[in-house]
Amino acid sequence: MRVTVSQIKAMKSKGEKIVMLTAYDYAAARIVDDAGVPLILVGDSLGMVVLGYQSTIPVTMEEMLHHTRAVVRGTSKALVVGDMPFMTYHISTEEALRNAARFIQDGGAQAVKLEGGVSVADKVRRIVECGIPVMGHIGLTPQSIHQLGGFKAQGKTPEAAARLLADARALEQAGAFAIVLETVPAPMATLISSKLAVPTIGIGAGPGCDGQVQVINDLLGSFADFVPKHARRYAKLSDIMSTAISEYRDDVRSGRFPTEEHSIPMDEAVLADLS
Ligand code: KIV
């Protein structure tokens, strides 16, 4: 039985911290699911950490659905959230609903996430009315990077802080079951969390949020291009992978791999008949 949105919401009332992590493929999703992480986000961050784009903007519905299906196949307990890519929910409410439904029907996800507050609240309301749980995402919204002028902290000035709180309230009123707060000053995230009944999930938003989300590649150190300030590396997989790959390269070159142990034997008589 998978975790439900009601269980996620109840965790806030019980004061239980909510753990969320991204995953993009079957193998990683299995490990995350087995570790007991209740919320898995197939983030459009896959564009940067898996597909090598410079931002999340080029990510398509087809790419997201392909990876969402893989993550769903690798999980049986976690609630899987599919991240709606840029311009798949902006043009009209109908299009937002159609694309959200694709995540559920074709992707097998149990919820969707989209970026924005007041400006997307109508779309969130309609998607939720149709039975699809929605997670909001405000603060630093990477799909609006050109508008925001870079990967900068949000909600610092009095006007920006008031806008952020209004965005959070609009999402809650529209029916979002949780809200990601990205790169927001910690005291501001704590204040928003205290004003909402639905849980906040922070990334670069301090310890006062109801839960935390991280990009799995940042946590495992498998993405060598850069480490965001908000990430803590629990491993350095890029070094482990590099050492293993170099050993393999040297073993092949020197003939140390493969050995008999990795080879398929054959009846000598069959070979003798051929020669
Ligand atoms: O795409 C993503 O991974 C995200 C998280 C950073 C919240 O949106």
Side-chain angles (χ1 to χ4, degrees):
M1 179 70 186
R2 284 189 190 269
V3 171
T4 63
V5 290
S6 322
Q7 286 171 322
I8 296 294
K9 289 203 268 189
M11 286 171 82
K12 173 162 181 150
S13 359
K14 290 188 224 154
E16 267 176 53
K17 288 280 185 188
I18 302 163
V19 182
M20 176 156 116
L21 191 58
T22 69
Y24 314 100
D25 63 67
Y26 171 84
R30 276 198 65 169
I31 297 169
V32 177
D33 199 44
D34 286 348
V37 171
L39 264 178
I40 298 184
L41 172 67
V42 189
D44 64 353
S45 49
L46 91 88
M48 297 175 78
V49 300
V50 176
L51 303 176
Y53 300 145
Q54 289 298 301
S55 75
T56 57
I57 291 171
V59 176
T60 65
M61 271 303 285
E62 272 56 45
E63 287 165 341
M64 287 306 303
L65 290 174
H66 178 77
H67 287 270
T68 302
R69 284 191 286 264
V71 168
V72 170
R73 284 193 292 270
T75 53
S76 58
K77 301 183 282 292
L79 191 155
V80 176
V81 183
D83 209 1
M84 297 188 70
F86 182 59
M87 277 300 140
T88 62
Y89 54 95
H90 304 80
I91 292 162
S92 70
T93 304
E94 285 67 31
E95 211 169 301
L97 180 56
R98 197 172 304 115
N99 284 321
R102 287 188 72 195
F103 270 98
I104 308 298
Q105 281 188 306
D106 303 352
Q110 289 80 52
V112 296
K113 174 171 88 56
L114 47 81
E115 296 182 5
V118 172
S119 66
V120 295
D122 285 351
K123 282 143 186 160
V124 171
R125 183 171 295 104
R126 183 74 188 121
I127 297 170
V128 172
E129 269 169 11
C130 290
I132 302 173
V134 176
M135 176 177 279
H137 181 163
I138 55 174
L140 171 56
T141 45
Q143 292 172 11
S144 311
I145 205 68
H146 300 309
Q147 176 89 348
L148 299 176
F151 291 91
K152 296 181 195 155
Q154 301 296 310
K156 287 171 90 172
T157 65
E159 302 74 35
R163 261 200 316 273
L164 201 59
L165 183 57
D167 282 337
R169 286 195 156 127
L171 288 170
E172 176 168 64
Q173 276 158 19
F177 75 94
I179 301 172
V180 170
L181 301 179
E182 179 165 353
T183 320
V184 167
M188 187 61 204
T190 305
L191 180 125
I192 294 174
S193 305
S194 73
K195 302 248 177 223
L196 300 183
V198 295
T200 57
I201 314 279
I203 175 162
C209 296
D210 303 302
Q212 297 292 326
V213 57
Q214 286 286 294
V215 169
I216 190 165
N217 303 60
D218 295 337
L219 189 130
L220 297 178
S222 59
F223 181 64
D225 291 7
F226 61 87
V227 189
K229 177 177 159 46
H230 56 68
R232 177 182 285 170
R233 273 194 169 167
Y234 288 84
K236 195 134 188 259
L237 283 200
S238 57
D239 284 357
I240 295 170
M241 288 167 77
S242 175
T243 305
I245 293 162
S246 304
E247 277 177 30
Y248 165 68
R249 177 202 60 207
D250 294 346
D251 282 355
V252 170
R253 285 182 182 160
S254 66
R256 284 193 300 270
F257 178 85
T259 61
E260 234 179 84
E261 175 198 353
H262 314 103
S263 309
I264 303 159
M266 190 169 169
D267 189 340
E268 293 288 340
V270 177
L271 273 187
D273 284 350
L274 293 173
S275 45

Short mmCIF file of all heavy atoms in Angstrom, two decimals, residues 47-94:
data_model
loop_
_atom_site.label_atom_id
_atom_site.label_comp_id
_atom_site.label_asym_id
_atom_site.label_seq_id
_atom_site.Cartn_x
_atom_site.Cartn_y
_atom_site.Cartn_z
N GLY A 47 16.45 17.29 -15.95
CA GLY A 47 16.99 17.96 -17.14
C GLY A 47 18.46 18.33 -16.94
O GLY A 47 19.28 18.19 -17.85
N MET A 48 18.79 18.76 -15.71
CA MET A 48 20.16 19.19 -15.43
C MET A 48 21.04 18.04 -14.96
O MET A 48 22.15 17.88 -15.45
CB MET A 48 20.15 20.33 -14.40
CG MET A 48 19.42 21.56 -14.93
SD MET A 48 19.24 22.87 -13.72
CE MET A 48 20.88 23.59 -13.75
N VAL A 49 20.55 17.23 -14.02
CA VAL A 49 21.44 16.23 -13.41
C VAL A 49 21.49 14.91 -14.17
O VAL A 49 22.39 14.11 -13.96
CB VAL A 49 21.11 15.99 -11.91
CG1 VAL A 49 21.25 17.27 -11.11
CG2 VAL A 49 19.72 15.41 -11.70
N VAL A 50 20.52 14.67 -15.05
CA VAL A 50 20.52 13.41 -15.81
C VAL A 50 20.72 13.67 -17.31
O VAL A 50 21.48 12.96 -17.96
CB VAL A 50 19.20 12.62 -15.60
CG1 VAL A 50 19.15 11.36 -16.44
CG2 VAL A 50 19.01 12.26 -14.13
N LEU A 51 20.04 14.70 -17.83
CA LEU A 51 20.06 14.89 -19.29
C LEU A 51 21.09 15.93 -19.74
O LEU A 51 21.32 16.08 -20.95
CB LEU A 51 18.65 15.28 -19.78
CG LEU A 51 17.54 14.28 -19.43
CD1 LEU A 51 16.18 14.80 -19.88
CD2 LEU A 51 17.81 12.91 -20.06
N GLY A 52 21.69 16.66 -18.81
CA GLY A 52 22.77 17.58 -19.16
C GLY A 52 22.33 18.90 -19.77
O GLY A 52 23.13 19.59 -20.39
N TYR A 53 21.08 19.31 -19.56
CA TYR A 53 20.65 20.65 -20.01
C TYR A 53 21.21 21.69 -19.03
O TYR A 53 21.52 21.37 -17.88
CB TYR A 53 19.13 20.77 -20.03
CG TYR A 53 18.39 19.80 -20.93
CD1 TYR A 53 17.14 19.29 -20.56
CD2 TYR A 53 18.90 19.39 -22.16
CE1 TYR A 53 16.42 18.42 -21.38
CE2 TYR A 53 18.20 18.52 -22.98
CZ TYR A 53 16.96 18.03 -22.59
OH TYR A 53 16.27 17.18 -23.39
N GLN A 54 21.24 22.94 -19.49
CA GLN A 54 21.74 24.03 -18.65
C GLN A 54 20.71 24.48 -17.62
O GLN A 54 21.03 25.14 -16.64
CB GLN A 54 22.09 25.25 -19.52
CG GLN A 54 23.33 25.04 -20.38
CD GLN A 54 24.57 24.80 -19.52
OE1 GLN A 54 24.92 25.64 -18.69
NE2 GLN A 54 25.19 23.66 -19.69
N SER A 55 19.43 24.18 -17.87
CA SER A 55 18.36 24.56 -16.94
C SER A 55 17.24 23.52 -17.08
O SER A 55 17.36 22.58 -17.87
CB SER A 55 17.82 25.95 -17.28
OG SER A 55 17.01 25.89 -18.43
N THR A 56 16.15 23.74 -16.33
CA THR A 56 15.03 22.79 -16.43
C THR A 56 14.08 23.16 -17.58
O THR A 56 13.15 22.41 -17.87
CB THR A 56 14.23 22.77 -15.11
OG1 THR A 56 13.77 24.10 -14.82
CG2 THR A 56 15.07 22.27 -13.95
N ILE A 57 14.32 24.28 -18.21
CA ILE A 57 13.38 24.79 -19.21
C ILE A 57 13.17 23.87 -20.43
O ILE A 57 12.05 23.71 -20.88
CB ILE A 57 13.76 26.25 -19.60
CG1 ILE A 57 13.47 27.13 -18.38
CG2 ILE A 57 12.98 26.74 -20.82
CD1 ILE A 57 13.97 28.54 -18.47
N PRO A 58 14.22 23.22 -20.95
CA PRO A 58 13.98 22.38 -22.14
C PRO A 58 13.26 21.05 -21.87
O PRO A 58 12.89 20.36 -22.81
CB PRO A 58 15.39 22.08 -22.66
CG PRO A 58 16.31 22.96 -21.91
CD PRO A 58 15.64 23.30 -20.62
N VAL A 59 13.07 20.69 -20.60
CA VAL A 59 12.50 19.37 -20.28
C VAL A 59 11.08 19.24 -20.87
O VAL A 59 10.27 20.15 -20.77
CB VAL A 59 12.47 19.15 -18.75
CG1 VAL A 59 11.80 17.84 -18.39
CG2 VAL A 59 13.88 19.21 -18.18
N THR A 60 10.81 18.09 -21.47
CA THR A 60 9.51 17.88 -22.14
C THR A 60 8.62 16.93 -21.32
O THR A 60 9.11 16.20 -20.45
CB THR A 60 9.70 17.24 -23.53
OG1 THR A 60 10.25 15.92 -23.33
CG2 THR A 60 10.62 18.06 -24.40
N MET A 61 7.35 16.90 -21.68
CA MET A 61 6.40 15.96 -21.06
C MET A 61 6.87 14.52 -21.31
O MET A 61 6.80 13.68 -20.42
CB MET A 61 5.00 16.10 -21.69
CG MET A 61 4.08 17.10 -21.04
SD MET A 61 3.76 16.83 -19.29
CE MET A 61 2.66 15.43 -19.30
N GLU A 62 7.33 14.24 -22.55
CA GLU A 62 7.72 12.87 -22.89
C GLU A 62 8.89 12.42 -22.01
O GLU A 62 8.89 11.29 -21.50
CB GLU A 62 8.09 12.77 -24.38
CG GLU A 62 6.87 12.46 -25.26
CD GLU A 62 5.74 13.48 -25.09
OE1 GLU A 62 6.01 14.70 -25.07
OE2 GLU A 62 4.58 13.05 -24.92
N GLU A 63 9.86 13.32 -21.80
CA GLU A 63 11.01 12.96 -20.93
C GLU A 63 10.53 12.71 -19.51
O GLU A 63 10.93 11.73 -18.87
CB GLU A 63 12.06 14.08 -20.96
CG GLU A 63 12.81 14.11 -22.28
CD GLU A 63 13.60 15.40 -22.52
OE1 GLU A 63 13.33 16.43 -21.87
OE2 GLU A 63 14.47 15.37 -23.38
N MET A 64 9.65 13.58 -19.02
CA MET A 64 9.16 13.42 -17.65
C MET A 64 8.36 12.12 -17.49
O MET A 64 8.52 11.42 -16.50
CB MET A 64 8.28 14.61 -17.25
CG MET A 64 9.03 15.90 -16.98
SD MET A 64 10.37 15.77 -15.78
CE MET A 64 9.53 15.15 -14.34
N LEU A 65 7.53 11.81 -18.47
CA LEU A 65 6.71 10.60 -18.36
C LEU A 65 7.57 9.35 -18.42
O LEU A 65 7.34 8.38 -17.68
CB LEU A 65 5.65 10.58 -19.48
CG LEU A 65 4.53 11.62 -19.32
CD1 LEU A 65 3.63 11.62 -20.55
CD2 LEU A 65 3.71 11.36 -18.06
N HIS A 66 8.57 9.37 -19.29
CA HIS A 66 9.50 8.23 -19.43
C HIS A 66 10.16 7.91 -18.07
O HIS A 66 10.18 6.77 -17.63
CB HIS A 66 10.54 8.65 -20.47
CG HIS A 66 11.62 7.68 -20.73
ND1 HIS A 66 11.43 6.56 -21.49
CD2 HIS A 66 12.93 7.67 -20.35
CE1 HIS A 66 12.57 5.88 -21.57
NE2 HIS A 66 13.49 6.53 -20.88
N HIS A 67 10.64 8.96 -17.39
CA HIS A 67 11.32 8.75 -16.11
C HIS A 67 10.33 8.48 -14.98
O HIS A 67 10.63 7.72 -14.07
CB HIS A 67 12.21 9.96 -15.79
CG HIS A 67 13.43 10.01 -16.66
ND1 HIS A 67 14.61 9.41 -16.31
CD2 HIS A 67 13.62 10.54 -17.89
CE1 HIS A 67 15.49 9.59 -17.27
NE2 HIS A 67 14.92 10.27 -18.24
N THR A 68 9.15 9.09 -15.06
CA THR A 68 8.14 8.84 -14.02
C THR A 68 7.74 7.36 -14.03
O THR A 68 7.64 6.72 -12.98
CB THR A 68 6.91 9.74 -14.24
OG1 THR A 68 7.34 11.11 -14.21
CG2 THR A 68 5.85 9.53 -13.16
N ARG A 69 7.54 6.81 -15.24
CA ARG A 69 7.16 5.38 -15.32
C ARG A 69 8.24 4.50 -14.70
O ARG A 69 7.93 3.54 -14.00
CB ARG A 69 6.92 4.99 -16.79
CG ARG A 69 5.58 5.49 -17.33
CD ARG A 69 5.25 4.87 -18.68
NE ARG A 69 6.05 5.45 -19.73
CZ ARG A 69 5.67 6.45 -20.53
NH1 ARG A 69 4.46 6.97 -20.40
NH2 ARG A 69 6.46 6.92 -21.45
N ALA A 70 9.50 4.83 -14.97
CA ALA A 70 10.60 4.03 -14.42
C ALA A 70 10.59 4.08 -12.89
O ALA A 70 10.75 3.06 -12.22
CB ALA A 70 11.94 4.54 -14.96
N VAL A 71 10.38 5.28 -12.34
CA VAL A 71 10.36 5.44 -10.87
C VAL A 71 9.17 4.69 -10.27
O VAL A 71 9.30 4.01 -9.25
CB VAL A 71 10.36 6.94 -10.49
CG1 VAL A 71 10.04 7.16 -9.02
CG2 VAL A 71 11.71 7.57 -10.86
N VAL A 72 8.03 4.79 -10.92
CA VAL A 72 6.83 4.10 -10.40
C VAL A 72 7.08 2.58 -10.40
O VAL A 72 6.76 1.89 -9.43
CB VAL A 72 5.58 4.50 -11.21
CG1 VAL A 72 4.38 3.61 -10.86
CG2 VAL A 72 5.24 5.96 -10.97
N ARG A 73 7.72 2.07 -11.46
CA ARG A 73 8.01 0.62 -11.51
C ARG A 73 8.96 0.20 -10.38
O ARG A 73 8.90 -0.93 -9.92
CB ARG A 73 8.65 0.25 -12.86
CG ARG A 73 7.66 0.19 -14.01
CD ARG A 73 8.26 -0.47 -15.25
NE ARG A 73 9.31 0.30 -15.88
CZ ARG A 73 9.12 1.21 -16.84
NH1 ARG A 73 7.91 1.43 -17.31
NH2 ARG A 73 10.14 1.87 -17.35
N GLY A 74 9.78 1.13 -9.93
CA GLY A 74 10.75 0.80 -8.89
C GLY A 74 10.24 0.98 -7.47
O GLY A 74 10.99 0.81 -6.52
N THR A 75 8.99 1.37 -7.32
CA THR A 75 8.47 1.69 -5.98
C THR A 75 7.16 0.95 -5.71
O THR A 75 6.40 0.67 -6.64
CB THR A 75 8.19 3.21 -5.85
OG1 THR A 75 7.34 3.62 -6.92
CG2 THR A 75 9.45 4.03 -5.89
N SER A 76 6.93 0.68 -4.43
CA SER A 76 5.63 0.10 -4.06
C SER A 76 5.03 0.81 -2.86
O SER A 76 3.85 0.66 -2.56
CB SER A 76 5.79 -1.40 -3.75
OG SER A 76 6.72 -1.56 -2.71
N LYS A 77 5.84 1.60 -2.15
CA LYS A 77 5.35 2.21 -0.91
C LYS A 77 5.26 3.75 -1.00
O LYS A 77 4.31 4.33 -0.49
CB LYS A 77 6.29 1.84 0.26
CG LYS A 77 6.41 0.34 0.48
CD LYS A 77 7.28 -0.02 1.66
CE LYS A 77 8.76 0.07 1.43
NZ LYS A 77 9.35 -0.91 0.51
N ALA A 78 6.24 4.37 -1.63
CA ALA A 78 6.28 5.85 -1.64
C ALA A 78 5.20 6.44 -2.52
O ALA A 78 4.76 5.81 -3.50
CB ALA A 78 7.65 6.31 -2.12
N LEU A 79 4.81 7.65 -2.18
CA LEU A 79 3.91 8.42 -3.03
C LEU A 79 4.80 9.12 -4.07
O LEU A 79 5.73 9.84 -3.70
CB LEU A 79 3.17 9.43 -2.16
CG LEU A 79 1.99 10.19 -2.75
CD1 LEU A 79 1.07 10.63 -1.64
CD2 LEU A 79 2.41 11.40 -3.54
N VAL A 80 4.53 8.87 -5.34
CA VAL A 80 5.39 9.42 -6.40
C VAL A 80 4.74 10.68 -6.98
O VAL A 80 3.59 10.66 -7.41
CB VAL A 80 5.64 8.37 -7.51
CG1 VAL A 80 6.46 8.98 -8.65
CG2 VAL A 80 6.35 7.14 -6.93
N VAL A 81 5.52 11.77 -6.97
CA VAL A 81 5.03 13.06 -7.49
C VAL A 81 5.75 13.35 -8.81
O VAL A 81 6.98 13.35 -8.86
CB VAL A 81 5.35 14.19 -6.48
CG1 VAL A 81 4.80 15.52 -6.97
CG2 VAL A 81 4.81 13.86 -5.09
N GLY A 82 4.99 13.60 -9.85
CA GLY A 82 5.58 13.94 -11.15
C GLY A 82 5.61 15.46 -11.31
O GLY A 82 4.62 16.14 -11.03
N ASP A 83 6.75 15.96 -11.74
CA ASP A 83 6.95 17.42 -11.83
C ASP A 83 6.53 17.89 -13.22
O ASP A 83 7.09 17.46 -14.23
CB ASP A 83 8.45 17.69 -11.63
CG ASP A 83 8.73 19.04 -11.03
OD1 ASP A 83 7.77 19.78 -10.73
OD2 ASP A 83 9.92 19.34 -10.83
N MET A 84 5.57 18.80 -13.27
CA MET A 84 5.08 19.26 -14.57
C MET A 84 6.10 20.22 -15.20
O MET A 84 6.49 21.20 -14.57
CB MET A 84 3.72 19.94 -14.41
CG MET A 84 2.66 18.96 -13.89
SD MET A 84 1.00 19.63 -13.89
CE MET A 84 0.65 19.70 -15.65
N PRO A 85 6.54 19.92 -16.42
CA PRO A 85 7.58 20.78 -17.01
C PRO A 85 7.07 22.14 -17.47
O PRO A 85 5.85 22.38 -17.57
CB PRO A 85 8.10 19.96 -18.19
CG PRO A 85 7.22 18.79 -18.37
CD PRO A 85 6.21 18.75 -17.25
N PHE A 86 8.02 22.99 -17.76
CA PHE A 86 7.78 24.36 -18.22
C PHE A 86 6.77 24.38 -19.37
O PHE A 86 6.89 23.61 -20.32
CB PHE A 86 9.12 24.95 -18.68
CG PHE A 86 9.07 26.37 -19.14
CD1 PHE A 86 8.63 27.38 -18.30
CD2 PHE A 86 9.50 26.71 -20.42
CE1 PHE A 86 8.61 28.70 -18.72
CE2 PHE A 86 9.48 28.03 -20.85
CZ PHE A 86 9.02 29.02 -20.00
N MET A 87 5.80 25.26 -19.27
CA MET A 87 4.80 25.52 -20.32
C MET A 87 3.81 24.38 -20.56
O MET A 87 3.15 24.34 -21.58
CB MET A 87 5.47 25.87 -21.66
CG MET A 87 5.85 27.32 -21.77
SD MET A 87 4.41 28.40 -21.59
CE MET A 87 5.09 29.71 -20.59
N THR A 88 3.73 23.45 -19.59
CA THR A 88 2.73 22.39 -19.76
C THR A 88 1.49 22.68 -18.91
O THR A 88 0.53 21.92 -18.94
CB THR A 88 3.29 21.00 -19.37
OG1 THR A 88 3.65 21.03 -17.99
CG2 THR A 88 4.50 20.63 -20.21
N TYR A 89 1.54 23.78 -18.13
CA TYR A 89 0.37 24.13 -17.30
C TYR A 89 0.10 25.63 -17.30
O TYR A 89 -0.70 26.12 -16.52
CB TYR A 89 0.57 23.63 -15.85
CG TYR A 89 1.86 24.08 -15.20
CD1 TYR A 89 1.90 25.21 -14.39
CD2 TYR A 89 3.03 23.37 -15.38
CE1 TYR A 89 3.08 25.63 -13.80
CE2 TYR A 89 4.22 23.78 -14.79
CZ TYR A 89 4.24 24.90 -14.00
OH TYR A 89 5.42 25.31 -13.42
N HIS A 90 0.77 26.37 -18.20
CA HIS A 90 0.65 27.83 -18.19
C HIS A 90 -0.40 28.35 -19.17
O HIS A 90 -1.05 29.36 -18.91
CB HIS A 90 1.99 28.47 -18.53
CG HIS A 90 3.10 28.05 -17.62
ND1 HIS A 90 3.76 26.85 -17.76
CD2 HIS A 90 3.64 28.66 -16.54
CE1 HIS A 90 4.67 26.74 -16.82
NE2 HIS A 90 4.62 27.82 -16.05
N ILE A 91 -0.55 27.67 -20.29
CA ILE A 91 -1.31 28.26 -21.40
C ILE A 91 -2.81 28.30 -21.12
O ILE A 91 -3.45 29.32 -21.34
CB ILE A 91 -0.95 27.55 -22.72
CG1 ILE A 91 0.50 27.91 -23.06
CG2 ILE A 91 -1.89 27.94 -23.87
CD1 ILE A 91 1.19 27.03 -24.04
N SER A 92 -3.35 27.21 -20.60
CA SER A 92 -4.78 27.21 -20.26
C SER A 92 -5.04 26.18 -19.17
O SER A 92 -4.24 25.26 -18.97
CB SER A 92 -5.63 26.87 -21.48
OG SER A 92 -5.44 25.50 -21.82
N THR A 93 -6.14 26.34 -18.49
CA THR A 93 -6.51 25.39 -17.43
C THR A 93 -6.75 24.01 -18.03
O THR A 93 -6.37 22.99 -17.45
CB THR A 93 -7.77 25.91 -16.69
OG1 THR A 93 -7.47 27.21 -16.21
CG2 THR A 93 -8.15 25.02 -15.54
N GLU A 94 -7.36 23.96 -19.24
CA GLU A 94 -7.63 22.68 -19.89
C GLU A 94 -6.32 21.93 -20.15
O GLU A 94 -6.21 20.74 -19.89
CB GLU A 94 -8.37 22.88 -21.23
CG GLU A 94 -9.83 23.24 -21.08
CD GLU A 94 -10.02 24.62 -20.46
OE1 GLU A 94 -9.17 25.52 -20.68
OE2 GLU A 94 -11.01 24.81 -19.74
#
